[in-house]
Amino acid sequence: MLDENNDIWPKSITVDKNIVSVLSQSTYQNFPRALKELITNSYDADAKSVTIDIDLDTETVVIEDTGRGMSDKDFEFYLRIAGKTRRKEDNLTPLGRPIIGQFGVGFLSVFPFFRNYSIESKRAGTSTKLHATIPLFKYFSDQSKFVDVSSILINGGRVQDFSQSTRSFTKITLTGFNDLTKSFFYPRKQKTNRVDNSSVDNFDAIRKLQWILSDDLPIKFEDDRFNTMFDLHSNIPFEVHVNGEQLFRKVYGNEILETHKEPYNQIGKIKFKYAILTSRKSVKPYEARYLKVRNLNVGVGDKRENFSSSHGATRSRFHWLTGEVHIIEGMNELIKVSRDDFNFSTDYEELKDFLSRRLNYFSNRLEDEADIIREIKQTGKEFRVNNLSLLNPVNIQKKLQKLEEEGFDLKTESDNSKGVVINEENKEVIVSENLSSLEKHIIIKNKKYLVKSEHWDFKTSLFPACKLQDDTIIINSSYPLFTSKKFTDVFVKMHLMLLFNHRENKITEDVYLLLINEILEYYSDYK
């Protein structure tokens, strides 16, 4: 029997007065994040699929799910913003999913983005379909920042639809783009100083929305290894389709550098799983760099985190790192209403510190590996000297010895085209078999010379930068203009030119000394 109060229309949105101040400070100005809140409502309703259809011409967005649908009582609760919190025993949905929503503000999130909001919902086993409309344009203008949500009136009612008695669904139709929505779908092109222009912001609007949603929603990975790693092989599938394309969570590293210990790691009350990945190249798009934090498998915040790298300066391979952090217990009560961060927790600070240390460790590890690879490549280039520290094969041996001391097993392979591969998982270092006989040569005027590096006092020597002994060129590693890797080759060749011309008596010793002194003076800003 229906409650007589449920037949009273129009209804009004009601607000728990304890949450008004929170709502006034927590606006959803990010359109994808607001849309994510509606989709996670479908997840909490045990929907197995959600379809989102966007028509830019008619300024319409339709979100339809296959969830339980809403009864009259559910709808009253739906309109009760930040109403009574769910009891602990209700932290799981009827099908066993952990409930994501806890503040009751999810449906409000899209209000500032549209002029009209309509909803229809139906439960299986009944022919009654609930429907309602909210004229958002009356309460949200492009100029007003806040609105008294308790004054919003909702028109609607019930209709009988006997043709769909076995179906359950909720369908939300949003029409009329406000300025916030238009700015997302039709952004102004901004000039950027980024050399690497690989950014999600360069995607078209629909593709950008798909990317952001796929990075945030509780959907499966496209790489099934990570569904196993994070235990996402659920018996309750959850699929999201945007304009006909199914979304999958993407992975941006093909090598797992480190992951949690089974079944999870724990810091204080926080239980979490994680994976740090790399493909040994810059992660693109750059928004996919660093670690995505998820709480109950839903993305937290608008971007991935590097946790401020407080443990020493990060090295150049930091942007090679990507990965995931799944918080499975211990932080749900501390997540902010806007779901962009957590409130302060000493356990979470310790977790961030742990992750910062791991990112820095692997940044340094990849840089060490890159140093060795650069040296191997340099030995094969007989026309350039870039980094004097890489002229001595002993430097490679020291790096390899350090890895052995850390427990790595050193192996050699004749067909190792990469020169060196550090396998963190198996604690192996696989190097090219010619590593121990590395020598650097350079060709000058069709003659090959062996190149070595030594250091001497450039101020007192007749040859402050370079010396020639038979077929060996010796370069002074302490010479001031050789400290910049970017310009070392240029200055080395400049001094070799003077040295060879002096040896061939094409210039006098006085002219030679004058020129080498002039070089230091003219290029003093390169020291």
Side-chain angles (χ1 to χ4, degrees), residues 228-416:
T228 301
M229 178 183 298
F230 293 108
D231 195 24
L232 301 184
H233 285 291
S234 172
N235 294 325
I236 319 163
F238 185 67
E239 297 180 359
V240 178
H241 300 255
V242 177
N243 280 13
E245 181 177 335
Q246 184 175 348
L247 305 184
F248 290 95
R249 192 174 294 169
K250 297 185 181 299
V251 176
Y252 296 92
N254 55 26
E255 179 183 345
I256 301 172
L257 296 174
E258 183 173 271
T259 185
H260 54 275
K261 299 177 181 178
E262 295 297 339
Y264 51 77
N265 281 23
Q266 185 164 355
I267 293 178
K269 295 180 180 179
I270 301 176
K271 297 178 181 178
F272 66 99
K273 301 181 179 184
Y274 75 100
I276 299 175
L277 316 171
T278 189
S279 291
R280 285 184 165 76
K281 61 183 179 180
S282 183
V283 176
K284 297 181 180 179
Y286 73 81
E287 289 88 350
R289 295 170 187 173
Y290 317 133
L291 302 181
K292 183 67 178 184
V293 178
R294 309 187 192 280
N295 185 59
L296 302 182
N297 200 25
V298 178
V300 177
D302 293 331
K303 62 183 180 67
R304 293 171 178 240
E305 295 286 345
N306 61 16
F307 303 101
S308 73
S309 308
S310 58
H311 304 288
T314 57
R315 303 179 72 184
S316 62
R317 306 301 155 178
F318 207 66
H319 58 94
W320 285 17
L321 300 173
T322 182
E324 300 265 330
V325 182
H326 288 227
I327 298 174
I328 55 180
E329 189 177 307
M331 291 299 293
N332 202 40
E333 297 300 319
L334 294 171
I335 196 164
K336 293 184 178 179
V337 174
S338 55
R339 214 182 293 278
D340 59 354
D341 200 358
F342 298 98
N343 291 311
F344 178 81
S345 160
T346 54
D347 289 346
Y348 188 50
E349 293 303 307
E350 189 175 340
L351 172 60
K352 290 191 290 185
D353 184 71
F354 166 79
L355 295 170
S356 173
R357 290 179 184 277
R358 301 317 295 155
L359 287 174
N360 275 277
Y361 170 81
F362 286 110
S363 173
N364 292 334
R365 169 69 79 235
L366 290 171
E367 182 67 15
D368 287 342
E369 179 181 319
D371 283 345
I372 300 173
I373 292 173
R374 275 197 300 267
E375 180 159 355
I376 292 171
K377 288 182 177 180
Q378 180 169 296
T379 61
K381 294 181 178 179
E382 298 179 333
F383 56 87
R384 184 167 295 181
V385 178
N386 293 318
N387 186 348
L388 299 188
S389 68
L390 300 182
L391 291 178
N392 190 351
V394 173
N395 291 337
I396 290 183
Q397 299 299 339
K398 286 181 179 179
K399 291 180 183 291
L400 295 176
Q401 182 179 355
K402 180 181 177 183
L403 291 174
E404 284 189 291
E405 291 171 354
E406 293 178 7
F408 283 81
D409 184 20
L410 197 63
K411 298 182 178 180
T412 58
E413 290 183 359
S414 58
D415 59 348
N416 184 6

